[in-house]
Amino acid sequence: MRRLLAAMLIAGSQAALAVEAGAPAPEIAGPRLDAPGQSISLSSFKGKVVYVDFWASWCAPCRISFPVLDSLYRGDQSRGLVVIGVNKDVTVADAKKFLAKLPVSFPLVGDAGDAAARAFDVKTMPSGYLVDRKGVVRKVHRGFTPETGAAIREEIDALLKEPS
Amino acid sequence: MKLARGLALAAAILAGCANVAPYQRGYLAREAMALDPNPGMARALEKTYSAKEAASGGASVGGGGCGCN
């Protein structure tokens, strides 16, 4: 009987393991929010440094992170940096309203079935995963403050200097 | 028998629970999920209620009845 209860409890909890630094980045693939008809996948950016950012319109710190990430992307795109924004809004309309106020130039992808969020086991909004040129997660940022922005800038600079 | 009944009850209650992952909080941010989706209307209703029932503060704050607040 005790075993049955334990099984019920385990079934109710989430079993996925959170992605931490050192782990290979799970795949993200889906339709682009910012370019209808096109799709995007994380694995196609192998050889580049990728910052994967899970965001939503209801996430208050995302209002700080978006301008910072956009300026990072604009500055280091030519050196091999890609920023992918994974949207976690319930409706696309919510996301569009947010983007009208804080427009960004980096690619955005929807995650309607929660596949990407579940694969990364996102614990906080926003969560940022810095992936190196070999596809390995090197740094995880949970939450976002102005200091986080400065730290990411340095980490990206170091990763861009690594050979692919 | 008691245990079986308890388990059945637990199963019935637990079925109503759902895990809301951090990235799913958009559902909780919906207007319909707010405790009080319309604070202005609630304030007006409360004012009417306390006037009609002579129970100032009866809805939230302690006290009332003496007419001194």
Side-chain angles (χ1 to χ4, degrees), chain A residues 1-130:
Chain A
M1 216 35 118
R2 238 178 238 170
R3 250 184 233 169
L4 181 69
L5 269 176
M8 276 166 73
L9 279 174
I10 290 165
S13 66
Q14 280 170 334
L17 269 172
V19 170
E20 299 291 351
E27 173 67 314
I28 295 172
R32 278 182 70 160
L33 273 185
D34 51 328
Q38 292 183 40
S39 60
I40 200 171
S41 80
L42 179 57
S43 55
S44 66
F45 293 114
K46 222 161 214 176
K48 295 195 170 205
V49 173
V50 187
Y51 188 82
V52 177
D53 181 56
F54 285 86
W55 69 282
S57 67
W58 45 263
C59 149
C62 296
R63 282 172 224 170
I64 308 171
S65 72
F66 255 48
V68 174
L69 294 178
D70 194 43
S71 85
L72 279 171
Y73 178 66
R74 281 170 189 273
D76 283 337
Q77 192 184 5
S78 55
R79 293 172 65 202
L81 173 72
V82 178
V83 177
I84 300 177
V86 185
N87 179 247
K88 290 312 301 167
D89 270 304
V90 176
T91 64
V92 179
D94 290 341
K96 296 253 154 115
K97 228 185 274 169
F98 179 90
L99 290 169
K101 280 185 206 147
L102 292 163
V104 289
S105 51
F106 54 80
L108 302 165
V109 62
D111 186 29
D114 288 344
R118 227 177 287 145
F120 279 81
D121 194 16
V122 175
K123 298 280 186 203
T124 313
M125 290 293 284
S127 277
Y129 299 84
L130 191 55

